Amino acid sequence: MRFEPEADEEFEAARGLLVDRLVRWAGEQGLPVDGYMAEMVLDYRHLATADGRLGLWESRHVEELLLSWLPQQVTELPGEERADAPGTLRTLLRYLHAAQLADPRGPSLQDSVAAVDGVAEQHLAAMMDRTRWGLAKFWAMTAAEQGVDVQDGAALQSFAERAQRGEVAYDQQALAAIMERRLTGRALSSGARAEPQLPVTLPPDDELRRQAEASTTVAQLRGLAEWAGQGGRPVTATGRLRMAEARELVNVLDTGDKIEGVRSSADLPRLGLLLEWAKKARLVRVVKGRLYAVAKARPVLADPLQLWLRAFDACFELRQALIGARSGWHVESMLFDVYEDVLEDVLNTLYSLPYPMPWPRLRDTVHLA
């Protein structure tokens, strides 16, 4: 009941099987159904929504299908019998629940059917509203209304050539509205799968600021910038901390790095991570062999919430630095886990993760996101 956008053959096979079973079931139940319209309904969920879940039908899906997708995609030529899209959708919803294919996270059958009833009367008007048509449908309908057999390829090509020469009358206002929607409106195309996000209500800024102040990461980044200071600290030719300063900073920031027997700051992974993080967050920088605190970052360092937000944004710029350093850093690190296993999905799945969070330090600050 869910396929990736590029899985065309798999989706079409499943759609065909589902529609065959739907039509057979509807016949047994005496319910109205149109096989082609059922295919279009499933196409909408697969092609035009981000999650692509064929069995999940919320009221917003029902409204967009009946008032936007079908008017844009389905061409009903003059004289053709109109398909009962609302009736087909009601039957599909009933079948999904009867066959236990309805997504359990969705509304009840009664609520879904009520959503269809709520917009069913608007559907016919939407289908006739030229401004809601797709571009291909607009020209096909214009051609058909002028007596062109749109099933005749040669006749349709001749019409297109005459239209390009400006010899065809058409509804200019409707075409302008269609083109404006194509340029500025939300495209009815998923592009990539993503789950809908749960609603989040953030606390007031004062509370967020208090929580940020308690963050270990915020304290360490601030401490690093204060340690570097405006006078700067010496670094090696490769931009690394000298071992004497590195040992001092491990104790100042309480990074937890083991310093016994370590000869190079490159072997202090947590300190190295904080240093790279502070650079990406524009809190410190290396100039002419010295590590300095960035003067313009003073207001950010003074505000724990702004500092937390700056650090959060900088996480996404750390990926390449971490990948480059991964071969030499073998201890457990929060950001290693995040970037290697979690980052691509974390914003989609964060709210359903159990507490406590499985990554050290991330759980200290992630509630602010």
Side-chain angles (χ1 to χ4, degrees):
M1 298 300 288
R2 179 182 181 275
F3 299 87
E4 293 301 318
E6 64 273 10
D8 294 332
E9 294 183 1
E10 293 88 343
F11 167 71
E12 290 176 5
R15 182 189 62 187
L17 180 62
L18 184 57
V19 170
D20 285 345
R21 293 180 176 178
L22 167 66
V23 171
R24 184 167 58 250
W25 180 85
E28 295 170 353
Q29 302 296 318
L31 297 173
V33 69
D34 180 282
Y36 169 73
M37 188 58 65
E39 289 184 351
M40 293 300 297
V41 169
L42 295 172
D43 281 351
Y44 158 73
R45 222 36 198 96
H46 173 66
L47 297 173
T49 60
D51 63 329
R53 295 190 176 276
L54 305 181
L56 179 59
W57 287 89
E58 298 176 351
S59 58
R60 59 191 177 93
H61 300 129
V62 171
E63 181 175 348
E64 186 173 61
L65 169 73
L66 294 178
L67 303 185
S68 297
W69 171 260
L70 294 180
Q72 179 177 323
Q73 300 291 328
V74 175
T75 301
E76 295 176 331
L77 298 174
E80 289 185 346
E81 182 179 356
R82 295 187 180 278
D84 182 7
T88 294
L89 179 56
R90 292 189 192 95
T91 299
L92 173 63
L93 294 171
R94 291 188 171 97
Y95 172 72
L96 292 176
H97 281 267
Q100 298 184 350
L101 295 175
D103 195 303
R105 293 172 295 181
S108 67
L109 173 59
Q110 292 75 15
D111 289 342
S112 295
V113 171
V116 179
D117 295 341
V119 296
E121 293 185 0
Q122 304 172 50
H123 170 67
L124 179 58
M127 291 292 292
M128 299 176 65
D129 183 351
R130 295 173 184 267
T131 64
R132 298 177 187 241
W133 293 355
L135 188 59
K137 176 179 178 178
F138 173 84
W139 285 114
M141 291 294 291
T142 300
E145 290 168 350
Q146 296 184 20
V148 177
D149 182 359
V150 297
Q151 305 299 328
D152 185 333
L156 192 58
Q157 179 62 32
S158 176
F159 171 83
E161 293 172 355
R162 288 189 289 113
Q164 291 174 351
R165 295 194 298 266
E167 300 173 358
V168 170
Y170 60 89
D171 188 332
Q172 297 183 11
Q173 291 184 344
L175 181 59
I178 292 170
M179 296 305 297
E180 181 179 2
R181 187 184 69 241
R182 284 169 61 90
L183 292 173
T184 63
R186 185 186 74 82
L188 291 178
S189 176
S190 57
R193 289 287 178 251
E195 294 300 322
Q197 298 301 301
L198 297 178
V200 176
T201 300
L202 290 176
D205 282 355
D206 288 345
E207 175 61 18
L208 292 175
R209 191 165 284 108
R210 185 191 66 78
Q211 293 175 352
E213 185 66 51
S215 164
T216 300
T217 300
V218 165
Q220 289 177 328
L221 290 174
R222 180 186 287 153
L224 175 58
E226 292 174 350
W227 178 85
Q230 299 302 305
R233 300 278 184 159
V235 295
T236 67
T238 58
R240 293 174 178 169
L241 293 173
R242 298 190 311 188
M243 196 57 207
E245 284 80 7
R247 288 194 182 95
E248 175 188 348
L249 198 51
V250 165
N251 293 324
V252 170
L253 301 181
D254 191 22
T255 65
D257 288 298
K258 296 180 180 179
I259 58 178
E260 295 80 4
V262 176
R263 297 183 178 181
S264 170
S265 64
D267 296 323
L268 302 173
R270 294 186 181 277
L271 179 60
L273 177 60
L274 279 172
L275 181 58
E276 290 300 322
W277 200 347
K279 290 177 182 178
K280 294 297 183 183
R282 305 185 305 282
L283 302 175
V284 299
R285 62 178 177 173
V286 174
V287 180
K288 296 181 179 181
R290 297 184 72 83
L291 177 71
Y292 294 92
V294 176
K296 292 183 178 179
R298 289 178 181 174
V300 175
L301 292 167
D303 185 332
L305 179 56
Q306 293 305 311
L307 178 54
W308 191 95
L309 293 172
R310 177 78 69 88
F312 182 85
D313 290 340
C315 282
F316 299 94
E317 301 178 25
L318 274 173
R319 184 180 181 87
Q320 293 304 318
L322 291 177
I323 291 175
R326 183 64 173 106
S327 59
W329 291 358
H330 300 292
V331 302
E332 179 182 353
S333 166
M334 173 271 287
L335 282 180
F336 289 153
D337 292 338
V338 169
Y339 280 110
E340 291 192 345
D341 304 319
V342 179
L343 184 58
E344 293 182 359
D345 296 322
V346 69
L347 296 181
N348 286 335
T349 61
L350 189 59
Y351 307 126
S352 62
L353 289 173
Y355 189 84
M357 298 289 286
W359 305 284
R361 301 194 182 190
L362 179 62
R363 62 173 170 261
D364 293 339
T365 55
V366 76
H367 59 278
L368 289 173

